[in-house]
Amino acid sequence: MESGLKMTEDLRSVAPTPEEEDPQVILLVEDDLGLAELMRGVVEELGFPCICLTSGHAALEWMRAHRPLLALLDYSLPDMTCLALVHTALENSPEHMPPFLVTTGMGDERLAVEMMKMGAQDYLVKDTSFLEHLPKALRQALDRVAQDTKLERAETALRQSEERLRQIIDLVPHMIYARDHEGQYLLVNEATARALGSDVAHLTGSSLKE
């Protein structure tokens, strides 16, 4: 018990504060302290700091203040299942729920499908070869996270660019609009809306006939 307590305290002490959030941290939620230590070693060998917690409630509390890059969640925790943990996180603060992998001591196909539907990146059975397969599963999950992050940034940049364009054309006193080959308005500025006796929101997406 003393060893477990020390481990939890040591690992929590390196957790970044909200003001010093490290987006590269991987959260490990595992109540088997011996296995958690081995898993933490695997994570750190990949070059990522690892925060280890031993209960679902501790994980939920930590995730309210931090946004880890990835989470490794044991399915059967002392206070709740991984399913309950993810459901609670998504219900209360979905923006704080990171991509996650599920680890379990039992190979249940139905459970695996259920967790995948909840958004799990992978479902790993803690068998004799578990620690050998863990690095590959982590790398694959991290690659997907990187791709998703790149896509999100591109979409954000596009939205910002569109908003800047919108602000510019609305300052122009002349009619500016774009229509597709079917006559549907794709873009309309304020001057066009005023000239047609309508508003931008109504005209955008409307057809020339309408």
Side-chain angles (χ1 to χ4, degrees), residues 1-208:
M1 179 62 70
E2 291 179 359
S3 173
L5 180 59
K6 181 178 185 298
M7 173 184 169
T8 303
E9 288 176 346
D10 285 348
L11 292 173
R12 279 190 161 192
S13 68
V14 301
T17 64
E19 294 79 16
E20 302 171 340
E21 190 68 59
D22 184 354
Q24 301 303 307
V25 167
I26 291 180
L27 173 64
L28 170 61
V29 186
E30 170 62 61
D31 62 319
D32 182 330
L33 300 182
L35 179 59
E37 190 66 31
L38 294 173
M39 292 171 69
R40 181 178 67 164
V42 171
V43 171
E44 292 178 345
E45 281 183 9
L46 293 176
F48 296 91
C50 182
I51 304 301
C52 181
L53 301 175
T54 58
S55 72
H57 284 102
L60 289 170
E61 179 184 350
W62 191 86
M63 287 191 296
R64 276 195 289 269
H66 308 282
R67 183 66 163 85
L69 179 66
L70 188 71
L72 264 169
L73 308 176
D74 181 19
Y75 183 79
S76 299
L77 294 165
D79 54 346
M80 66 176 69
T81 65
C82 174
L83 189 65
L85 189 161
V86 173
H87 179 75
T88 302
L90 291 175
E91 189 176 62
N92 296 336
S93 51
E95 71 280 3
H96 290 165
M97 185 64 212
F100 64 97
L101 291 83
V102 178
T103 64
T104 179
M106 52 186 177
D108 185 330
E109 187 174 333
R110 179 193 59 79
L111 188 59
V113 171
E114 191 172 11
M115 292 309 306
M116 291 297 185
K117 286 180 179 178
M118 291 289 288
Q121 298 272 328
D122 208 341
Y123 182 86
L124 306 173
V125 179
K126 293 185 278 191
D127 55 18
T128 55
S129 59
F130 167 67
L131 291 174
E132 296 176 19
H133 294 152
L134 183 57
K136 181 180 179 180
L138 283 170
R139 281 193 291 267
Q140 290 176 338
L142 290 167
D143 284 344
R144 286 192 291 270
V145 169
Q147 291 171 3
D148 291 344
T149 300
K150 186 177 180 180
L151 179 60
E152 287 175 6
R153 287 175 178 170
E155 290 174 343
T156 299
L158 178 60
R159 286 194 298 271
Q160 292 173 343
S161 178
E162 290 174 342
E163 180 58 28
R164 284 194 295 270
L165 176 61
R166 161 61 57 193
Q167 292 171 354
I168 291 170
I169 69 169
D170 279 342
L171 293 174
V172 177
H174 307 292
M175 293 175 64
I176 298 177
Y177 59 88
R179 293 197 301 258
D180 62 17
H181 65 283
E182 294 179 348
Q184 185 179 52
Y185 284 100
L186 305 176
L187 180 147
V188 179
N189 73 341
E190 291 286 354
T192 302
R194 286 194 299 270
L196 296 178
S198 185
D199 57 73
V200 171
H202 178 73
L203 285 173
T204 303
S206 299
S207 69
L208 187 57

